[in-house]
Amino acid sequence: MCPTDKLAPISAMVDSDSDDSSVSMSDSDEQPSGNEENPIDEEENEENPIDEEEDEVIKAIRLASKKKKNHPPPIRLEEDLTSISFHPHEDILAVSDALGDVNLYKYSLEENTNIGTLELHTRSCRGMDFSHDGKTLFTIGSDKAIMLSDMATKKLIKFYEDAHDSPMYCISVLGEHIFGTGDDDGHIRLWDPRVPQQIYKARRNEEYISQMITNEEEKYLLCTSGDGSLTTFDLRNRNFLVQSEEYEEDLTCIGLFRDETKVVVGTNKGKYLIFNWNQFGLHSDVFPGPKHPINAIVPITENIVVTAHDDGIIRATHLFPHRHLGIVGQHENSIVETVDICNNGTFIASLGMNSDINFWNIEYFADFDKVNNKHNKHDSKREMKNNLPSSKYGNASSFFSGLVDEES
């Protein structure tokens, strides 16, 4: 989906689930082992008081952890899955596979129902995106073809054969009458569905184009690449604008936040590179992550991003000020390849290399934006181990060691 469609504010909290895809803290999680109900006594609190901001964060997490039933159940398929994409307006998730097909699921808190299968590509479907109005699904495949399918009739409406000389790696709908594609060898092409051929092509990168985005103004196209550079094109005049310095790591994904005044780029070394909008030649800030490759990034508020990593963990990070919030969820024994956010910002879905799709409720992050506005000192290593309410795993640190159920 277009990044500008994914910046809708997140609203109030709803109930959270306790099934196998999202287990909140149980009583045993909240209570320490042994006879003591609370290992942190009043005297210890006086010597090591929790700062006001962190205390508010703990309250927000504890409140969310008590909720139930807040996301759809997981989707488990036998096929090798390649990508996922939420419909921008309806409760539909598109799931592509290595056979070249796209399955459409109507999701709800109770169940996920397959409402149709689109048999599109002769080889693996490598990426997809919806038009802004949701009426058309755009897909790319290893067969070098681009397919446009009508969502109302589930029929193919346009077909570009041999659209690139190399297999395409990514596709992005950039406006009402324009979309872009990037391939394994660094070529980008722009297309207008009303005409039979590409309207612009260029090659400024030596490696694969990992992701392409624009903003609401649709003036610039930003492309991240495996060669370590961020390349910017002028969409309106259809020409090359600027290329950043070449970083010694793959640039794997990109997102917009802070009312599209900031650009965050993820790398295969786990770093967050931050650029100012209109200043694409050199990053303005860098924030080190957990040293695991970042495979996908989704801005979920104006300050918070969720990222998918090679170690199977989905992490949340507050970018202004820099702070690791914790673990949103985890795919056991599987790389997390991509994440996407649903149309109303209630939850995200993640795809693991084992072809499991999990849903995670993220509404509680609205409260984090309210309480994470101070530049207090924090323990980054500990915070990267914190499990948030959506996670199905018990907390790996002592972050919640002092929490007890207020009703117990």
Side-chain angles (χ1 to χ4, degrees), residues 307-321:
T307 49
H309 297 260
D310 260 14
D311 61 352
I313 294 177
I314 305 157
R315 293 176 169 88
T317 301
H318 198 286
L319 294 175
F320 286 97

Side-chain angles (χ1 to χ4, degrees), residues 215-274:
N215 65 351
E216 187 174 3
E217 193 179 16
E218 298 176 10
K219 183 177 180 180
Y220 301 124
L221 172 67
L222 279 60
C223 305
T224 50
S225 172
D227 67 8
S229 63
L230 174 67
T231 306
T232 305
F233 297 89
D234 187 326
L235 273 179
R236 295 177 181 175
N237 297 314
R238 295 173 192 166
N239 56 36
F240 167 74
L241 184 64
V242 67
Q243 190 165 18
S244 75
E245 70 167 69
E246 192 170 305
Y247 298 90
E248 295 182 356
E249 48 204 299
D250 293 11
L251 305 189
T252 56
C253 49
I254 188 170
L256 305 176
F257 62 105
R258 281 277 172 122
D259 286 329
E260 300 186 338
T261 63
K262 298 287 184 178
V263 180
V264 57
V265 174
T267 80
N268 70 331
K269 292 185 179 179
K271 294 179 183 177
Y272 304 86
L273 302 175
I274 299 173

